[in-house]
Every structure is written in C-alpha cells, then in structure tokens.
Amino acid sequence: MKKIAVILGSDSDLLIVEKGIDILKSFSVPFEVHIYSAHRTPVEAAEFTKSARENGFGAIIAAAGMAAHLAGAIAANTTLPVIGIPIESGKLGGVDALLSTVQMPTGIPVATVAVNGAANAALLAIEMLAIEDGELAEKLNQKRKNDTLKVLEKNKLVEEKFNV
Ligand code: RP5
C-alpha cells in the first residue's frame, strides 16, 4: 500500500493533527510524520516532496497556521495529491491559514479541508488510496455505517427525552 505523508509546519500544530494521525492508525494505513516549514526549512520541505512519489507515498497532508504556505509550497514540487489543513493559531482564528491554503493559483491544486480539519484530511487521504484498494474502501464503508448508527442512537435519545 502507498504511504501517506503528514507534514507539519511546526510542532505546535501536532495537537490538532494527531486527530488525523489517530484515524490513519485506525485504518492501518502506513504513514510518516515530519516537521518541514515552508519558511523555516524550505530546502528540506522541497527535498522531501520532490522524492515523495519515488519513496512510496500516495498522498501528502500538509498542516500549517498563520501565513500557511506549506501545502502550496509542497504542491508546487509534486503531482501527488496534496491536502491542506489550515491550523487555527494567532489572533485571526485560522481564517488567515484557511485563505492562505485554499487560494491556490490554477495548475497547482491543494485540496483544503476546514480549519483544524485533521480528521477529514486523513479520511480524504485514505479515500485516495482506496481508489485502488477494495479492502480499504470496505473499511471506509464500515466507518460510515458505524457513524450513521451513532447519530441514529443520539437522535433516539433526544426524541425520547423531548418528544411526547
Ligand atoms: C506556522 O506558524 C506553523 O504551522 C504554526 O501553525 C504557526 C506557528 O508556529 P510556531 O511559532 O508555533 O512554531 O508556520
């Protein structure tokens, strides 16, 4: 199976991104986590990205806050799919990172999830691998079914409590 790369702009992003890492683990998907910054370690970020395909990666998740150029800078150096997670940090509540991540020029796409949307980033990366992997696709279907059952159960409790 292809690996998923999880790149953080800073170790301060880890608390949020771990929610996605937990999902990758729960699907037994192989992954690596690295800290590469578009601004502080641009050479290392580019080196990793340029060799990511030949090193067995199938998708790259890039998380960064503030002037969040990491996902775009990574996407500039690969044709692997790149998923950007805008991280809430600083005084602007993540809107800064959201706009920096999502507003990519034509030709260099970044699939941007919600601010702090690490879980969806992981699920989207898994869906990409599942295009060619029926077993993984079945695990995704099972998760959807389980999630649906949880909501139905909550609905039942609320209906019993409030509806006469
Ligand atoms: C971004 O700036 C990082 O991704 C992080 O979200 C934010 C703050 O980084 P630190 O100053 O905490 O390292 O580059």
Side-chain angles (χ1 to χ4, degrees):
M1 195 189 293
K2 300 274 190 205
K3 294 181 285 184
I4 294 172
V6 181
I7 313 296
L8 317 175
S10 167
D11 61 342
S12 64
D13 302 322
L14 188 56
L15 197 63
I16 295 297
V17 176
E18 271 187 319
K19 290 169 192 151
I21 293 172
D22 288 345
I23 289 178
L24 297 178
K25 282 184 190 162
S26 74
F27 276 83
S28 301
V29 163
F31 65 89
E32 289 183 17
V33 183
H34 300 273
I35 297 173
Y36 292 126
S37 164
H39 308 114
R40 294 165 174 160
T41 60
V43 173
E44 289 78 3
E47 276 171 5
F48 175 87
T49 306
K50 284 176 185 169
S51 57
R53 187 184 291 276
E54 71 200 47
N55 286 333
F57 291 96
I60 300 177
I61 295 171
M66 300 179 79
H69 301 133
L70 181 62
I74 283 176
N77 282 311
T78 183
T79 52
L80 288 174
V82 175
I83 303 165
I85 310 174
I87 299 289
E88 179 185 358
S89 83
K91 293 191 189 306
L92 300 183
V95 174
D96 44 357
L98 173 63
L99 298 180
S100 302
T101 306
V102 78
Q103 286 286 55
M104 288 299 296
T106 301
I108 311 291
V110 167
T112 305
V113 296
V115 173
N116 291 353
N120 269 359
L123 287 168
L124 185 54
I126 294 166
E127 287 180 359
M128 289 167 180
L129 299 193
I131 291 170
E132 301 285 344
D133 186 326
E135 205 176 313
L136 201 51
E138 188 40 46
K139 281 188 190 174
L140 283 164
N141 285 335
Q142 199 53 53
K143 179 181 167 22
R144 285 279 175 99
K145 281 181 196 155
N146 292 343
D147 290 350
T148 299
L149 288 176
K150 281 183 204 159
V151 174
L152 291 175
E153 186 56 33
K154 285 176 191 167
N155 175 53
K156 191 162 166 267
L157 292 173
V158 166
E159 286 180 348
E160 282 170 2
K161 183 170 179 180
F162 294 106
N163 302 350
V164 285

